[in-house]
Amino acid sequence: MDDDLSALWRRQWPECPPLAHTLKHAHCDRWVRIHSLPGSKRYPSHDAEYDIVLHRHNTILDELFHGQEVRIVTADWSDATDAPVLPAHHELRNPGALHWTSVRTDEDETDPDFITYTHLYASRRPWRSGLVDDLLRAVADDVTGNVMITSLSFDRVHHPYDGGADILLPTTGERDALKHRHTDWLSAHPLGL
């Protein structure tokens, strides 16, 4: 799996490792950030707010992937280059995921005591609304991170984080159309953060 997925990733994002948070910096012309709660509130505090979070994510995901298969990429971390045994909770959030690749989390870190690796696991499933709700709740609660729901070719990336989602699309025009459809969900920050 590693070679095929890595080649696909490099074709779409040649200057970025498969760490979702790096994409917005290298491809700001194709990036938009959606906040998952009104007023840019970061964390949901009751069921009604979780419903809003899931509604916003699923609305965007439906627009991006309706009728398609998606890749669900999840991460684990360690100080070893080899991927650890996948924890049981990971299997619950991304069933059938297989180790794709491991990358150094911070290329600039030089202290051996602080060098870590991000181990990425990928699965492939037909998209349907609600498919990744448990995973999205874990992200919203900051229990996990570096999640991506992508097209099979990686040209569309939905990267949820605690507070929203970074979305990368194939063109600036597609990005602008998505922004126009969801203006109420965008940040008021001048840089879109």
Side-chain angles (χ1 to χ4, degrees):
M1 177 187 284
D2 178 34
D3 290 341
D4 292 340
L5 292 186
S6 294
L8 285 170
W9 182 269
R10 283 190 302 274
R11 192 171 304 130
Q12 292 299 332
W13 314 105
E15 60 285 317
C16 294
L19 299 172
H21 66 276
T22 65
L23 294 173
K24 68 180 172 284
H25 303 294
H27 296 280
C28 58
D29 61 319
R30 295 168 53 188
W31 163 77
V32 62
R33 176 168 282 180
I34 300 293
H35 285 181
S36 53
L37 286 169
S40 300
K41 183 178 178 185
R42 187 135 192 167
Y43 297 102
S45 54
H46 51 78
D47 285 344
E49 288 183 339
Y50 280 103
D51 290 345
I52 293 168
V53 168
L54 294 176
H55 168 74
R56 288 187 179 191
H57 283 294
N58 280 298
T59 297
I60 299 294
L61 288 162
D62 283 343
E63 290 178 20
L64 297 178
F65 304 120
H66 179 77
Q68 300 175 37
E69 281 190 282
V70 295
R71 291 193 200 284
I72 301 164
V73 180
T74 49
D76 203 2
W77 297 266
S78 75
D79 59 0
T81 56
D82 294 330
V85 174
L86 199 59
H89 67 269
H90 199 125
E91 173 65 24
L92 291 173
R93 293 186 196 128
N94 193 2
L98 299 174
H99 181 254
W100 160 22
T101 191
S102 297
V103 296
R104 216 163 123 174
T105 305
D106 182 357
E107 288 292 332
D108 296 329
E109 181 59 63
T110 57
D111 186 334
D113 291 336
F114 294 103
I115 293 175
T116 59
Y117 294 87
T118 302
H119 308 287
L120 299 174
Y121 300 85
S123 66
R124 178 177 168 167
R125 290 186 270 168
W127 171 252
R128 63 172 174 72
S129 187
L131 176 69
V132 292
D133 281 1
D134 289 343
L135 182 58
L136 292 170
R137 282 182 72 104
V139 170
D141 289 336
D142 199 21
V143 174
T144 191
N146 207 52
V147 169
M148 294 183 280
I149 298 97
T150 76
S151 61
L152 296 184
S153 67
F154 290 123
D155 69 335
R156 296 172 182 274
V157 176
H158 179 276
H159 164 50
Y161 68 92
D162 54 318
D166 288 332
I167 300 144
L168 288 107
L169 296 167
T171 67
T172 302
E174 288 181 64
R175 186 267 325 254
D176 291 347
L178 184 81
K179 285 173 73 170
H180 181 72
R181 287 192 303 272
H182 301 288
T183 55
D184 291 347
W185 299 355
L186 303 176
S187 168
H189 189 283
L191 297 176
L193 298 170

PDB file of all heavy atoms in Angstrom, residues 129-140:
ATOM      1  N   SER A 129     -23.062   9.979   4.371  1.00  0.00           N
ATOM      2  CA  SER A 129     -23.153  10.896   5.497  1.00  0.00           C
ATOM      3  C   SER A 129     -23.205  10.097   6.797  1.00  0.00           C
ATOM      4  O   SER A 129     -23.912   9.098   6.895  1.00  0.00           O
ATOM      5  CB  SER A 129     -24.408  11.764   5.364  1.00  0.00           C
ATOM      6  OG  SER A 129     -24.411  12.763   6.354  1.00  0.00           O
ATOM      7  N   GLY A 130     -22.420  10.509   7.780  1.00  0.00           N
ATOM      8  CA  GLY A 130     -22.364   9.832   9.069  1.00  0.00           C
ATOM      9  C   GLY A 130     -21.283   8.766   9.159  1.00  0.00           C
ATOM     10  O   GLY A 130     -21.045   8.227  10.233  1.00  0.00           O
ATOM     11  N   LEU A 131     -20.629   8.462   8.049  1.00  0.00           N
ATOM     12  CA  LEU A 131     -19.626   7.397   8.014  1.00  0.00           C
ATOM     13  C   LEU A 131     -18.536   7.584   9.060  1.00  0.00           C
ATOM     14  O   LEU A 131     -18.094   6.625   9.684  1.00  0.00           O
ATOM     15  CB  LEU A 131     -18.994   7.327   6.615  1.00  0.00           C
ATOM     16  CG  LEU A 131     -17.853   6.323   6.430  1.00  0.00           C
ATOM     17  CD1 LEU A 131     -18.378   4.897   6.496  1.00  0.00           C
ATOM     18  CD2 LEU A 131     -17.150   6.583   5.101  1.00  0.00           C
ATOM     19  N   VAL A 132     -18.104   8.816   9.269  1.00  0.00           N
ATOM     20  CA  VAL A 132     -16.965   9.068  10.158  1.00  0.00           C
ATOM     21  C   VAL A 132     -17.356   9.885  11.392  1.00  0.00           C
ATOM     22  O   VAL A 132     -16.519  10.552  11.996  1.00  0.00           O
ATOM     23  CB  VAL A 132     -15.802   9.749   9.391  1.00  0.00           C
ATOM     24  CG1 VAL A 132     -15.182   8.802   8.386  1.00  0.00           C
ATOM     25  CG2 VAL A 132     -16.257  11.041   8.717  1.00  0.00           C
ATOM     26  N   ASP A 133     -18.625   9.807  11.789  1.00  0.00           N
ATOM     27  CA  ASP A 133     -19.080  10.614  12.930  1.00  0.00           C
ATOM     28  C   ASP A 133     -18.290  10.338  14.205  1.00  0.00           C
ATOM     29  O   ASP A 133     -17.943  11.280  14.934  1.00  0.00           O
ATOM     30  CB  ASP A 133     -20.571  10.419  13.180  1.00  0.00           C
ATOM     31  CG  ASP A 133     -21.444  11.212  12.217  1.00  0.00           C
ATOM     32  OD1 ASP A 133     -20.900  11.901  11.328  1.00  0.00           O
ATOM     33  OD2 ASP A 133     -22.688  11.137  12.356  1.00  0.00           O
ATOM     34  N   ASP A 134     -18.007   9.077  14.507  1.00  0.00           N
ATOM     35  CA  ASP A 134     -17.234   8.780  15.721  1.00  0.00           C
ATOM     36  C   ASP A 134     -15.839   9.392  15.640  1.00  0.00           C
ATOM     37  O   ASP A 134     -15.325   9.931  16.628  1.00  0.00           O
ATOM     38  CB  ASP A 134     -17.122   7.264  15.945  1.00  0.00           C
ATOM     39  CG  ASP A 134     -18.442   6.639  16.368  1.00  0.00           C
ATOM     40  OD1 ASP A 134     -19.354   7.383  16.808  1.00  0.00           O
ATOM     41  OD2 ASP A 134     -18.575   5.411  16.246  1.00  0.00           O
ATOM     42  N   LEU A 135     -15.241   9.328  14.477  1.00  0.00           N
ATOM     43  CA  LEU A 135     -13.918   9.917  14.271  1.00  0.00           C
ATOM     44  C   LEU A 135     -13.990  11.438  14.388  1.00  0.00           C
ATOM     45  O   LEU A 135     -13.141  12.065  15.037  1.00  0.00           O
ATOM     46  CB  LEU A 135     -13.376   9.497  12.901  1.00  0.00           C
ATOM     47  CG  LEU A 135     -11.989   9.966  12.521  1.00  0.00           C
ATOM     48  CD1 LEU A 135     -10.933   9.508  13.519  1.00  0.00           C
ATOM     49  CD2 LEU A 135     -11.643   9.445  11.118  1.00  0.00           C
ATOM     50  N   LEU A 136     -15.001  12.041  13.799  1.00  0.00           N
ATOM     51  CA  LEU A 136     -15.154  13.497  13.883  1.00  0.00           C
ATOM     52  C   LEU A 136     -15.381  13.961  15.323  1.00  0.00           C
ATOM     53  O   LEU A 136     -14.868  15.014  15.722  1.00  0.00           O
ATOM     54  CB  LEU A 136     -16.312  13.960  12.984  1.00  0.00           C
ATOM     55  CG  LEU A 136     -16.076  13.803  11.485  1.00  0.00           C
ATOM     56  CD1 LEU A 136     -17.369  14.064  10.710  1.00  0.00           C
ATOM     57  CD2 LEU A 136     -14.953  14.714  10.999  1.00  0.00           C
ATOM     58  N   ARG A 137     -16.119  13.194  16.101  1.00  0.00           N
ATOM     59  CA  ARG A 137     -16.315  13.535  17.525  1.00  0.00           C
ATOM     60  C   ARG A 137     -14.988  13.461  18.279  1.00  0.00           C
ATOM     61  O   ARG A 137     -14.692  14.313  19.119  1.00  0.00           O
ATOM     62  CB  ARG A 137     -17.344  12.620  18.173  1.00  0.00           C
ATOM     63  CG  ARG A 137     -18.779  12.979  17.827  1.00  0.00           C
ATOM     64  CD  ARG A 137     -19.749  12.059  18.557  1.00  0.00           C
ATOM     65  NE  ARG A 137     -19.788  12.362  19.968  1.00  0.00           N
ATOM     66  CZ  ARG A 137     -20.768  13.031  20.580  1.00  0.00           C
ATOM     67  NH1 ARG A 137     -21.799  13.459  19.885  1.00  0.00           N
ATOM     68  NH2 ARG A 137     -20.728  13.252  21.867  1.00  0.00           N
ATOM     69  N   ALA A 138     -14.174  12.441  17.985  1.00  0.00           N
ATOM     70  CA  ALA A 138     -12.867  12.318  18.640  1.00  0.00           C
ATOM     71  C   ALA A 138     -11.974  13.496  18.275  1.00  0.00           C
ATOM     72  O   ALA A 138     -11.252  14.027  19.118  1.00  0.00           O
ATOM     73  CB  ALA A 138     -12.206  10.993  18.258  1.00  0.00           C
ATOM     74  N   VAL A 139     -12.040  13.940  17.025  1.00  0.00           N
ATOM     75  CA  VAL A 139     -11.258  15.113  16.605  1.00  0.00           C
ATOM     76  C   VAL A 139     -11.788  16.358  17.311  1.00  0.00           C
ATOM     77  O   VAL A 139     -11.008  17.173  17.819  1.00  0.00           O
ATOM     78  CB  VAL A 139     -11.294  15.281  15.074  1.00  0.00           C
ATOM     79  CG1 VAL A 139     -10.701  16.615  14.660  1.00  0.00           C
ATOM     80  CG2 VAL A 139     -10.562  14.136  14.378  1.00  0.00           C
ATOM     81  N   ALA A 140     -13.103  16.523  17.351  1.00  0.00           N
ATOM     82  CA  ALA A 140     -13.703  17.703  17.991  1.00  0.00           C
ATOM     83  C   ALA A 140     -13.323  17.795  19.462  1.00  0.00           C
ATOM     84  O   ALA A 140     -13.169  18.892  20.007  1.00  0.00           O
ATOM     85  CB  ALA A 140     -15.222  17.664  17.843  1.00  0.00           C
TER      86      ALA A 140
END
